[in-house]
Amino acid sequence: MASPLKEGSLWPASLALSAPAYLLPIFNPDLFWHLSSGRWILRHGAVPRADFLSFTMEGAPWSDFEWLSQLIFQGIYSLGGMPALWALKAVLLALSARLFLRTLALYSLPELHRGAALVLWSLAALAGSDIRPELFSLLIFSALVLGLEAHRLGRLTLRPAAFFAVFALWANFHAGFPFGLLLLACYAAAAAAARTAWRPLMLCAAAAGGGALCTPYGLGPYLVSFQHWQGRSDMAAYIQEWHPMTLVNAFHWPFWLVLILFAMALARAWGRARRSASWGLALAGLILGLNSLLHARLAAYFGVVALPLVFSLTGDVPVTRALKRAAVAAAVIVTAFFVLTLPARSWR
């Protein structure tokens, strides 16, 4: 009996099944105040330091920690309107997907495994696949995972100066840089537990923390991140992206699948005492996964660390005919998922 899948035939199918993550329409209501802030910055040649958008808090001190993203959004919008912003969203997500695939390439996985991983990554990204400053955080966080995994495998030497520069840029795009600091701390803790070189990681973490101070607001992004975390319960009551993950929202379903796969990967790594497992990824995934249960906005970062751990442990799984048939069945299920969910989205 002929094999249901041939070598080289998987990437078109994987790309097609991952396309909705890039191509979903814009539906972020926050976009308009981001554009307003971008226009203000262009008009005044400075970043805002007082609230000018709300009538209840007008004139109150404000650290606009997303000013660089807003400036880019407004510049792109002035060139091509909403279609240009939609294209920017697709490009940023595609670049993040490319970094994810480069991370998988470190493990020398078969094509079937990499194709399945790409589809899972795109499904996990659906809930946050909109034009928002978080896309820049997702992109830089994905690059950080790639660099740290390459370092762990002995293929890259870490440079503190590079971390300083990257985090200096990151802190002006979006206040997601604490997740990068968390990731560095997890890798340093894993290295210390394994009695390998952890000091270079801590040096890079210190450089990264210093770089994040290089904003027009100094400690402002740190303070905003702390205030958001401190008030997370109140924010969860009023802001959708701070709500817990749920089974009611169909776009949250992939998160639960990734969470189950991650738990199975942890059990496999622990049970076999695999010294080659990435315990930095495991620790970061555990922290981000548990917190994603409380706040949906963390789920995208969880997928970036969970899926490399899952698939790094599948290199010894042979690509049998049964596995190929299972992949075909999974592709049918994913297609049915899109048929049921995508028409409900507003495509205007």
Side-chain angles (χ1 to χ4, degrees):
M1 183 180 295
S3 172
L5 291 174
K6 294 181 180 179
E7 192 73 16
S9 67
L10 290 173
W11 284 114
S14 298
L15 291 173
L17 290 174
S18 66
Y22 321 124
L23 303 181
L24 279 178
I26 292 173
F27 55 92
N28 177 23
D30 289 347
L31 174 62
F32 301 101
W33 74 262
H34 288 315
L35 293 175
S36 295
S37 183
R39 286 194 299 272
W40 192 98
I41 294 170
L42 287 172
R43 186 179 303 121
H44 294 85
V47 297
R49 297 185 180 274
D51 187 351
F52 65 92
L53 290 167
S54 65
F55 69 92
T56 55
M57 295 290 288
E58 184 176 4
W62 179 34
S63 294
D64 186 7
F65 57 88
E66 297 165 329
W67 71 272
L68 187 53
S69 297
Q70 294 163 346
L71 193 61
I72 292 174
F73 287 172
Q74 175 57 28
I76 295 295
Y77 178 77
S78 65
L79 292 174
M82 289 294 177
L85 286 173
W86 173 83
L88 174 64
K89 178 205 75 158
V91 168
L92 291 174
L93 282 164
L95 289 173
S96 296
R98 175 60 179 163
L99 290 170
F100 171 71
L101 287 175
R102 288 191 62 187
T103 302
L104 294 183
L106 297 172
Y107 313 132
S108 301
L109 297 172
E111 182 187 33
L112 179 62
H113 296 210
R114 288 178 284 130
L118 175 62
V119 175
L120 274 173
W121 179 92
S122 66
L123 287 171
L126 278 173
S129 59
D130 201 355
I131 184 69
R132 55 179 68 236
E134 285 90 335
L135 290 183
F136 291 103
S137 279
L138 182 64
L139 179 64
I140 300 173
F141 188 76
S142 300
L144 187 59
V145 169
L146 171 60
L148 290 174
E149 277 296 275
H151 170 73
R152 180 182 68 87
L153 296 171
R155 303 181 190 181
L156 179 69
T157 300
L158 300 181
R159 307 289 184 187
F163 280 84
F164 182 92
V166 168
F167 275 74
L169 185 66
W170 192 349
N172 288 284
F173 273 125
H174 180 248
F177 66 89
F179 298 124
L181 297 175
L182 169 67
L183 186 63
L184 280 163
C186 288
Y187 270 83
R195 297 184 179 180
T196 56
W198 56 271
R199 288 183 178 83
L201 289 161
M202 290 305 298
L203 184 60
C204 289
L213 292 171
C214 297
T215 75
Y217 305 101
L219 279 171
Y222 278 104
L223 296 175
V224 168
S225 297
F226 177 73
Q227 290 166 359
H228 282 184
W229 188 250
Q230 193 176 39
R232 61 192 182 278
S233 298
D234 291 336
M235 296 177 73
Y238 299 103
I239 303 176
Q240 185 174 3
E241 61 193 22
W242 281 88
H243 288 180
M245 298 300 292
T246 174
L247 290 172
V248 176
N249 187 339
F251 278 9
H252 288 183
W253 295 351
F255 163 80
W256 298 103
L257 175 59
V258 174
L259 186 65
I260 292 171
L261 292 174
F262 176 72
M264 293 171 61
L266 277 182
R268 186 175 191 220
W270 186 265
R272 296 191 178 188
R274 296 177 68 103
R275 295 181 60 85
S276 60
S278 177
W279 292 105
L281 280 180
L283 182 57
L286 193 61
I287 295 171
L288 291 172
L290 291 175
N291 282 281
S292 294
L293 295 173
L294 302 175
H295 307 292
R297 68 179 309 158
L298 274 66
Y301 301 100
F302 169 65
V304 175
V305 295
L307 288 171
L309 178 72
V310 169
F311 282 91
S312 67
L313 300 174
T314 64
D316 58 349
V317 177
V319 181
T320 61
R321 184 173 296 177
L323 188 61
K324 292 181 179 181
R325 288 174 177 167
V328 172
V332 172
I333 293 172
V334 172
T335 302
F337 169 78
F338 287 138
V339 170
L340 291 173
T341 58
L342 293 186
R345 184 66 62 183
S346 174
W347 289 88
R348 291 179 299 174

